[in-house]
Amino acid sequence: MDDKKQLSERDICSKYITPALQNSGWDLQGQIREEYGFTYGRIVVRGKKPIRGERKRIDYLLSYKKDLPIAVVEAKDNNHSIANGMQQGLQYADMLDVPFVFSSNGDGFLFHDKTNTDQPERELALNEFPSPDELYSRYRIWKGLDDNSERVATSDYFYDKDGKEPRYYQRIAINRAVEAVAKGQNRILLIMTTGTGKTYVAFQIIWRLWQSGAKKRILFLADRNILVDQTKTNDFKPFGEKMYKIANRNADKAYEIYLSLYQAVTGNEEDKQIFRQFSPDFFDLIVVDECHRGSAADNSAWREILDYFSSATQIGMTATPKETKDVSNTNYFGEPVYTYSLKQGIDDGFLAPYKVVRVTLDKDVEGYRPEKGDVDKYGQEIPDRIYDGEEIERTIVIDERTKLVAQKISEYMKNSGDRYMKTIVFCVDIEHA
């Protein structure tokens, strides 16, 4: 009996596949990652106890350099055919945005090359596995990179002493945005669902473009002060003294990385439009956080800023793109270079599946009618009529109802065993929230 048939899948990897990769010039420490898990596993709630599904795991992920994966290798034991792992490998390669897929049972390799439309699939002997330079040269042509764009597109990520790595979808978003800029695209859209790390992605894009010298002066725009402050002290901290938050109507031109609220640089009167203190060509790159909120509307004040700095490369980031008669993210920024949806986030286990908890109160169902002569907290008489559920919190505010809803939410979270779990409460307006 063939001894190879007795070997496990991991034995086939260690005795045949790994040596074949190394003999072709792949570095075991820097370019080969074995049993690479790239999802967390979907969260499934059974009763009140959450458990995780199986992680997606690749036998080998091959990277030309750190954070530039280009190939997937799927292994099977020798009781399977050489092609048996190909379908799974193709699925993983699509998720990871890599063009080369290999399947092996230890006898040789089946090679699927997405860059070769004439002959996408062929068999290779163990000693014919392509070298890193051979695969990368094909990858480079496939991506349409010349010497100048390649330098930017392969620029290094920032890594701190903790060595935090981007998740697979963050890496794709970062790489695609940087590639697009490197090849001269001036309007770029990234769609990433809430909770998937858009600010970290923005930081890595800005860092790589700044460090490579492709963009020298950069503006990060957000619409909430807490976002700007958290960005400055957390994800953007490595920029240090090169970074400046525009505040108090002061446009200091001595920095390279600028953070600002839309509201801090614009206003109704021209003397309040701080952005005009900068020349139109001052910024090379503008990253617009939550770009669906106003920058996509032709007549918005935020759009005025983008039009003023029209020569800058502009990257829009949003979880919820808007497409209406008056507002269009894609009309302005173009089709997204990458989309990571809520469904993908839940399937991968990076986001928990949501559970809707409805609190229905009598006033919502039956409506509310004040007693004759009832006054509000300001001493004004409340008009005597029936207010239906649609009017509560809009036409009339019942403080006792709001407190009761808050109490019900608090009780639910206490009973769940985790008072601090992520929770969304839908409110009518800011005052209600």
Side-chain angles (χ1 to χ4, degrees):
M1 182 176 278
D2 187 348
D3 289 342
K4 197 184 284 187
K5 298 288 185 187
Q6 309 302 312
L7 299 177
S8 68
E9 184 179 296
R10 287 319 303 166
D11 289 335
I12 292 292
C13 289
S14 60
K15 291 178 182 293
Y16 296 98
I17 299 176
T18 301
L21 300 180
Q22 290 182 282
N23 290 338
S24 296
W26 291 88
D27 176 34
L28 188 60
Q29 303 303 318
Q31 295 179 305
I32 300 172
R33 296 188 72 166
E34 295 188 59
E35 296 193 285
Y36 173 68
F38 63 97
T39 69
Y40 281 1
R42 185 184 173 102
I43 298 169
V44 179
V45 180
R46 292 192 177 147
K48 289 192 176 180
K49 186 177 180 183
I51 60 171
R52 283 205 180 266
E54 193 174 342
R55 296 183 74 185
K56 286 187 169 63
R57 195 181 299 275
I58 298 171
D59 291 318
Y60 294 86
L61 180 67
L62 305 183
S63 299
Y64 184 70
K65 61 173 288 187
K66 190 174 177 67
D67 292 308
L68 187 60
I70 59 174
V72 164
V73 183
E74 276 300 303
K76 296 295 178 185
D77 65 39
N78 200 248
N79 294 296
H80 293 84
S81 73
I82 195 173
N84 201 265
M86 180 54 69
Q87 207 56 43
Q88 191 174 46
L90 287 169
Q91 178 194 344
Y92 291 161
D94 282 343
M95 289 185 71
L96 293 170
D97 201 29
V98 301
F100 308 118
V101 186
F102 298 84
S103 173
S104 180
N105 64 353
D107 291 338
F109 296 95
L110 180 64
F111 174 30
H112 187 98
D113 180 358
K114 293 183 183 180
T115 73
N116 185 346
T117 53
D118 295 330
Q119 188 189 1
E121 217 161 79
R122 59 194 172 95
E123 287 195 19
L124 305 171
L126 281 176
N127 62 359
E128 292 180 317
F129 196 91
S131 70
D133 287 338
E134 184 182 342
L135 282 189
Y136 178 70
S137 66
R138 296 184 194 188
Y139 177 88
R140 185 178 186 264
I141 294 167
W142 181 60
K143 285 290 187 180
L145 300 174
D146 57 23
D147 289 345
N148 189 50
S149 58
E150 178 190 29
R151 179 184 60 80
V152 178
T154 59
S155 56
D156 291 335
Y157 280 63
F158 173 83
Y159 280 101
D160 59 19
K161 61 185 178 184
D162 297 328
K164 175 188 174 184
E165 289 194 13
R167 295 169 176 172
Y168 85 89
Y169 64 85
Q170 293 173 333
R171 184 183 290 117
I172 296 171
I174 296 161
N175 286 350
R176 285 200 186 176
V178 171
E179 267 175 31
V181 174
K183 292 192 286 188
Q185 189 171 326
N186 284 321
R187 299 292 181 268
I188 296 159
L189 180 63
L190 285 172
I191 299 174
M192 297 175 65
T193 195
T194 301
T196 54
K198 287 196 298 296
T199 309
Y200 172 76
V201 167
F203 163 72
Q204 290 286 8
I205 292 168
I206 292 170
W207 177 270
R208 292 179 61 196
L209 293 173
W210 180 64
Q211 284 288 81
S212 68
K215 302 296 176 184
K216 295 181 174 64
R217 286 193 291 234
I218 298 159
L219 173 63
F220 178 81
L221 276 176
D223 71 334
R224 283 180 290 159
N225 206 41
I226 189 169
L227 285 178
V228 175
D229 290 339
Q230 286 178 348
T231 297
K232 185 178 180 184
T233 56
N234 295 330
D235 286 316
F236 280 41
K237 188 177 180 181
F239 289 121
E241 59 187 22
K242 301 287 185 181
M243 177 173 54
Y244 174 71
K245 177 186 174 184
I246 298 174
N248 301 320
R249 301 285 167 187
N250 183 20
D252 192 322
K253 302 178 184 67
Y255 296 84
E256 295 177 47
I257 310 296
Y258 290 78
L259 309 179
S260 179
L261 283 170
Y262 293 103
Q263 299 92 318
V265 291
T266 189
N268 294 328
E269 299 160 30
E270 189 148 331
D271 64 338
K272 292 182 179 177
Q273 295 181 326
I274 304 306
F275 67 89
R276 295 186 184 278
Q277 294 183 25
F278 298 97
S279 63
D281 61 354
F282 184 85
F283 293 110
D284 305 309
L285 173 68
I286 299 176
V287 177
V288 187
D289 189 39
E290 303 295 357
C291 66
H292 66 280
R293 292 191 188 274
S295 56
D298 290 340
N299 61 351
S300 73
W302 302 351
R303 177 67 171 270
E304 190 177 1
I305 302 170
L306 301 187
D307 288 342
Y308 182 78
F309 296 115
S310 61
S311 63
T313 298
Q314 296 173 8
I315 301 175
M317 305 184 75
T318 181
T320 51
K322 277 191 179 178
E323 295 300 325
T324 68
K325 182 167 65 72
D326 302 313
V327 178
S328 173
N329 287 116
T330 55
N331 275 357
Y332 186 80
F333 290 104
E335 291 299 320
V337 296
Y338 184 62
T339 298
Y340 189 72
S341 67
L342 174 63
K343 181 181 183 302
Q344 287 171 288
I346 291 172
D347 286 345
D348 290 342
F350 297 116
L351 298 174
Y354 52 84
K355 179 178 180 181
V356 177
V357 178
R358 296 190 183 278
V359 178
T360 304
L361 305 177
D362 57 351
K363 299 293 185 288
D364 299 358
V365 178
E366 300 164 8
Y368 168 72
R369 182 171 186 173
E371 297 286 335
K372 188 167 184 174
D374 276 358
V375 296
D376 63 20
K377 64 181 180 182
Y378 303 107
Q380 297 176 345
E381 186 171 342
I382 305 170
D384 180 14
R385 67 178 181 84
I386 295 174
Y387 298 86
D388 63 28
E390 288 292 313
E391 292 182 282
I392 294 173
E393 298 298 341
R394 292 179 174 87
T395 305
I396 188 167
V397 175
I398 306 172
D399 286 340
E400 290 80 5
R401 174 187 176 276
T402 306
K403 289 174 185 173
L404 183 56
V405 171
Q407 182 185 329
K408 291 290 184 185
I409 294 170
S410 182
E411 286 174 3
Y412 180 84
M413 293 175 74
K414 283 179 192 174
N415 294 334
S416 74
D418 181 6
R419 292 187 65 181
Y420 299 101
M421 67 174 142
K422 286 188 176 179
T423 307
I424 297 175
V425 181
F426 292 96
C427 299
V428 171
D429 53 28
I430 292 172
E431 187 178 357
H432 181 208

